[in-house]
Structures are given as C-alpha cells and as structure tokens.
Amino acid sequence: MSKSTKDRFHPVKSILVSQPKPSDDKSPYFQLAEKYNLKIDFRPFIQVEPVSLKDFRKQKIDILKHTAIIFTSRNAIDHFFTICKELKIEMPADMKYFCISDQTAHYLQKYIVIRKRKLFVGQKTASDLFDYFKKHKSEKYLFPCSDIRKDEIPTYMAKSNIEFTEAIIYHTVAADLSDLRDIKYDVLAFFSPSGIKSLMTNFPDFKQNNTRIAAFGPTTAEAVREENLLLDIEAPMPNAPSMTGALELYIKKANNL
C-alpha cells in the first residue's frame, strides 16, 4: 500500500463488484457481506458484442486450415462455435484444444465431446500453456479472442516462431452505467483494465474522493494508476490470493475489527 493511501482507512459499508452476480449461494462475496454486515452489489462494467459473420470473413481466416485452437475464456468458446455454426463448419476429430484452465476446458463440453479429443489444460494463466506449445511446435494454432486481449500468447508465439493466427470474434465494450451516476459506494472492485476504461468512459468527470478502489492483477492495477486514481486494495497478495481475501484484510483495518 502506497504512502498516499495509508490515511484512507475509512469504514466500509458498501462495495460494488464490477462482475456479474455469482450464481453460487456459497460465494465468498456473500459470506463477506454476511460476516461484516456489508452491502455488496454486482454490476458488469463491460459487455461483449459478437463480431458479425461479415466482419469475421473480412479477416480471411480459414478455420479448418488450423490444427489446434487456444481458448482463454468462455466468451471465446461461445462466439467461436457460433461462427462455426454460421459457416456450417464441424470441428474435425483430430483438432487439438489448448484451454487456459479446468473451468474453460469443462465449458468446452458444451460444444464437443472432450473424452474423444486431444485436450491440453493449464492451471490458470496463459504462461501455463507455454510448455504445451513448445512440445507441439508444429501445430497451426488459431486463437479466437476479443479485440482487447492480453499480449502473453501472441508474444510467446512470435518469439518461438510457432504458426499462429489471431481471430477477433467478439468486442469488449463499456456497459451503460448511467443509472449509477448518483449512487455512491465505499469500494469499487475491478478485475481488468477494460473495467477501469468503462468507469472513465461512463463518468469522464469521476472524482474518487473517499471511494476506495480495489484491483485484481497487475494490469488492472496499472490501469488504475494510469488514470491517476489511488489504488487502495491490490490483489492477489501472498496473504490474500483472492479479491475477497484482499477486501477482508482492508475491511478489518478500516472498520477497526
């Protein structure tokens, strides 16, 4: 925590999480709200818009000329298979799939029978897949993604001279948050630079004042600082690997618990 934020430990009673409301009743957010008598609301700050078939065709990508597909999100899976359906393309049985996490791999079952496919799964981050890419350098990789995406995979592929095609299949845009203009929260929690961009797009005259900002991940933290905002709560940390863990540590101090 920077010196400029050390005197910003005001009591926390309300938090806005810039993500959809969890479907699991046992979510740590609900436990946090109950434990500390907090009001926690959820509101996605970004929304996803599919690329039209016409715009996809402008990219001149032949999906079936690739032998492996990289998936880093559920959105990528949904929009990729939507494009395939519109193009009347069926994935060949020998297509390889590289998924960033177990959750992403599990979601892939919505579209293909995984047990019959060649599947490679990372732990959680893009770098988890690099060893797989190295072992399968001869594959022709397709990376369905958003127009806003992290650089790790394209950078690694370029450095490693691995054949790789990036396919923009959806756009990440700012959600309309105009109804929140007069609503104040003690803490705003962000998980991507896109969320910070959405905040400033919706409220270009945003004044932070006593609003605390929480950020998950180094790129999100950097986006906060680039907007000259104070970052009060940063996750993950060694003693708080999750956003809820970092929030709890801050709340205990701010609320004198």
Side-chain angles (χ1 to χ4, degrees), residues 20-31 42:
K21 185 176 180 178
S23 55
D24 183 1
D25 291 340
K26 294 185 173 69
S27 165
Y29 286 106
F30 300 143
Q31 295 171 8
F42 301 87

Side-chain angles (χ1 to χ4, degrees), residues 10-17 184-190 210-214 232-233 243 247 250-251:
H10 312 292
V12 173
K13 296 179 181 178
S14 62
I15 299 172
L16 180 62
V17 178
K184 305 298 181 188
Y185 290 88
D186 296 322
V187 177
L188 302 178
F190 293 96
N210 285 332
T211 301
R212 272 60 54 83
I213 290 180
D232 299 277
I233 305 159
M243 174 61 86
L247 286 169
Y250 181 89
I251 289 163

Side-chain angles (χ1 to χ4, degrees), residues 164-210:
F164 169 83
T165 305
E166 191 172 314
I168 306 300
I169 55 167
Y170 63 98
H171 297 295
T172 305
V173 299
D176 181 3
L177 306 173
S178 55
D179 58 304
L180 295 178
R181 179 170 297 279
D182 298 318
I183 302 173
K184 305 298 181 188
Y185 290 88
D186 296 322
V187 177
L188 302 178
F190 293 96
F191 300 83
S192 70
S194 301
I196 300 297
K197 183 180 178 182
S198 176
L199 173 71
M200 303 313 293
T201 299
N202 277 277
F203 310 112
D205 56 349
F206 175 74
K207 298 288 188 294
Q208 187 174 359
N209 299 323
N210 285 332

Side-chain angles (χ1 to χ4, degrees), residues 1-9 225 230-232 234:
M1 192 140 324
S2 65
K3 290 180 181 177
S4 58
T5 63
K6 68 180 180 180
D7 59 345
R8 290 171 52 79
F9 285 96
R225 296 185 180 105
L230 288 174
L231 179 59
D232 299 277
E234 192 167 357

